[in-house]
Amino acid sequence: MQFSLVSRAVPSRPSKPVLGNVLVRADTDTQRVTLVGFDETLGIQTTFAAQVEESGSLTLPAKLLGDIVSRLPNEEIDITQDEDEPVVTLACSAGRYQIRGLSAEDYPKLPDVTTGEAIQISANALVEGLRGALFATSSDETKQVLTGVHLTADDESLEFAATDGHRLAVVHTVDESGSPAGDAAMNVTIPGKALRELERVLQNYSSNEPVAFKLDTTQVVFDLGDQRITTRLLEGQYPNYRQLIPKQFERQLTVDRKQLTSSLERIAVMADQRNNIVKLSISPETQSLALSVEAQEVGSGFETLPAQITGESLDIAFNVRYLLEGLKALPSSEIQIQCNSATSPSVLTPLGGTKITYLVMPVQIRS
């Protein structure tokens, strides 16, 4: 677990050989071992208790070490370093393996943020924000600022926003432990890759202590006790996403989230045959929402489910994957869908729970 965590920050094509390794540091004073992976943008460090007889440090090839360790029996391993060579020996009941590494002197230090006050936020509030926003980041590296999550904070709340140009997720969290940003205002964009690793660490975070993070103009460091994640901030102006959200809506419907999700998952099988597009037909007369797909030369799909509707009828189409990903991020049993026309953005929100606004652009229906 410890090794696989830091190895996720080891680049598959390192710019220099030592970056393809994991730094291993043993300390007799603390009786702890520290592991570090770093690709010069994302750094992950983890520390754990061990019986250390002599202090020392070395870097070892990440893939080779990981492949060996993952196959060893689930028992204590003795690790000894050669006095003259950068070689370690791993010994257990199954046998022994020698691995040649590189000197730790050439391994770059993880960046640190020494200025400013640490921002404290509960793990729960952080998880809520990441779960509700991360999925909407862009995977297009040419739109680099959109590959991250934009965080803004004041002395009362923390807001997470992510968009790929087709949809927008905004999560507004209030930390039950107090003011998330203290006296600090925050307005930064953090790479999605680093936040996915943070989310993974938080799944096993059992401490009641809040997560502390510090940032400057270029870096952010998350401190989770035995784990530490550091990453470079994304440069560039993040879009003014708040102006994209309509202030008023002509149509509004309330539906059961799980029921709508199940219907969309079924009809997505047919939508996959035709550009992943599904048509939603809102009917106030019957108080129902119909989902339909016409896939020429393959077939068609149609489902209907009850909905509480205000406003006039409307046919509107969406990318079915965008709808499904948004629905799965909303934390309530019922959700509200608000829209104006077949060509203007629609907004999905949960009824209760975390305050999430999920905006998705419709797709033009071709007759």
Side-chain angles (χ1 to χ4, degrees):
M1 163 63 192
Q2 306 282 359
F3 182 81
S4 62
L5 173 66
V6 299
S7 64
R8 298 182 70 84
V10 176
S12 56
R13 295 178 179 173
S15 57
K16 46 191 173 185
V18 75
L19 290 178
N21 290 7
V22 165
L23 174 66
V24 183
R25 190 166 56 236
D27 190 324
T28 52
D29 292 338
T30 60
Q31 289 293 296
R32 295 183 77 79
V33 170
T34 300
L35 304 177
V36 179
F38 188 35
D39 66 3
E40 295 187 296
T41 296
L42 168 67
I44 303 177
Q45 174 180 298
T46 185
T47 306
F48 56 93
Q51 187 177 335
V52 181
E53 296 179 5
E54 188 174 345
S55 295
S57 58
L58 187 67
T59 75
L60 297 170
K63 187 175 188 313
L64 178 61
L65 183 61
D67 287 346
I68 292 173
V69 170
S70 64
R71 289 165 173 79
L72 291 177
N74 186 18
E75 61 184 39
E76 288 188 356
I77 302 171
D78 286 331
I79 303 175
T80 53
Q81 182 177 345
D82 192 288
E83 292 183 6
D84 303 317
E85 299 269 343
V87 174
V88 298
T89 300
L90 276 61
C92 65
S93 62
R96 46 194 284 134
Y97 292 85
Q98 285 192 322
I99 302 174
R100 179 172 290 274
L102 293 169
S103 169
E105 292 178 7
D106 299 327
Y107 200 84
K109 285 188 176 181
L110 286 187
D112 199 5
V113 176
T114 56
T115 58
E117 182 184 350
I119 297 166
Q120 308 274 347
I121 182 171
S122 74
N124 286 342
L126 201 47
V127 167
E128 283 179 355
L130 296 176
R131 189 177 293 152
L134 256 177
F135 74 96
T137 56
S138 175
S139 58
D140 185 352
E141 292 296 330
T142 63
K143 304 175 182 175
Q144 197 178 36
V145 75
L146 299 187
T147 63
V149 174
H150 193 69
L151 266 70
T152 53
D154 53 30
D155 58 358
E156 295 180 353
S157 62
L158 186 63
E159 187 171 275
F160 300 72
T163 180
D164 61 5
H166 303 286
R167 69 293 188 45
L168 163 71
V170 182
V171 186
H172 197 79
T173 67
V174 177
D175 190 346
E176 65 272 16
S177 66
S179 303
D183 296 327
M186 181 168 53
N187 191 350
V188 295
T189 308
I190 302 175
K193 179 183 177 183
L195 292 176
R196 276 184 274 275
E197 298 308 327
L198 175 62
E199 186 180 36
R200 187 174 280 106
V201 172
L202 286 169
Q203 290 172 359
N204 299 297
Y205 187 71
S206 55
S207 172
N208 293 322
E209 292 294 315
V211 175
F213 60 102
K214 296 181 77 171
L215 50 89
D216 57 22
T217 55
T218 60
Q219 291 282 149
V220 60
V221 177
F222 293 93
D223 189 348
L224 299 96
D226 290 340
Q227 279 83 35
R228 187 163 167 253
I229 296 176
T230 175
T231 186
R232 194 177 300 152
L233 297 171
L234 291 175
E235 298 177 355
Q237 183 71 35
Y238 202 79
N240 183 3
Y241 56 88
R242 292 188 184 96
Q243 70 179 10
L244 302 175
I245 304 171
K247 299 292 186 290
Q248 293 180 312
F249 296 95
E250 297 174 8
R251 297 167 176 84
Q252 181 174 294
L253 56 153
T254 303
V255 293
D256 182 277
R257 185 180 66 88
K258 286 185 178 178
Q259 196 174 354
L260 178 55
T261 301
S262 296
S263 292
L264 283 169
E265 285 176 335
R266 287 189 292 269
I267 212 159
V269 177
M270 191 62 71
D272 190 44
Q273 305 296 317
R274 193 195 178 203
N275 302 325
N276 282 313
I277 306 304
V278 61
K279 183 172 80 171
L280 276 60
S281 298
I282 301 166
S283 174
E285 291 82 11
T286 59
Q287 290 289 294
S288 65
L289 174 66
L291 315 176
S292 61
V293 170
E294 293 285 343
Q296 288 183 345
E297 300 177 6
V298 177
S300 61
F302 179 86
E303 289 208 19
T304 183
L305 58 154
Q308 299 172 35
I309 299 171
T310 57
E312 298 178 3
S313 59
L314 178 70
D315 288 345
I316 188 169
F318 297 98
N319 180 308
V320 69
R321 181 172 66 85
Y322 291 166
L323 285 181
L324 279 170
E325 289 180 351
L327 286 168
K328 289 173 181 176
L330 300 181
S332 61
S333 58
E334 286 189 315
I335 60 116
Q336 201 169 68
I337 303 175
Q338 296 171 297
C339 51
N340 286 314
S341 71
T343 55
S344 60
S346 293
V347 169
L348 282 66
T349 52
L351 290 181
T354 309
K355 186 180 177 184
I356 299 178
T357 302
Y358 180 57
L359 178 148
V360 59
M361 292 299 298
V363 179
Q364 190 170 355
I365 303 173
R366 288 188 173 88
S367 54

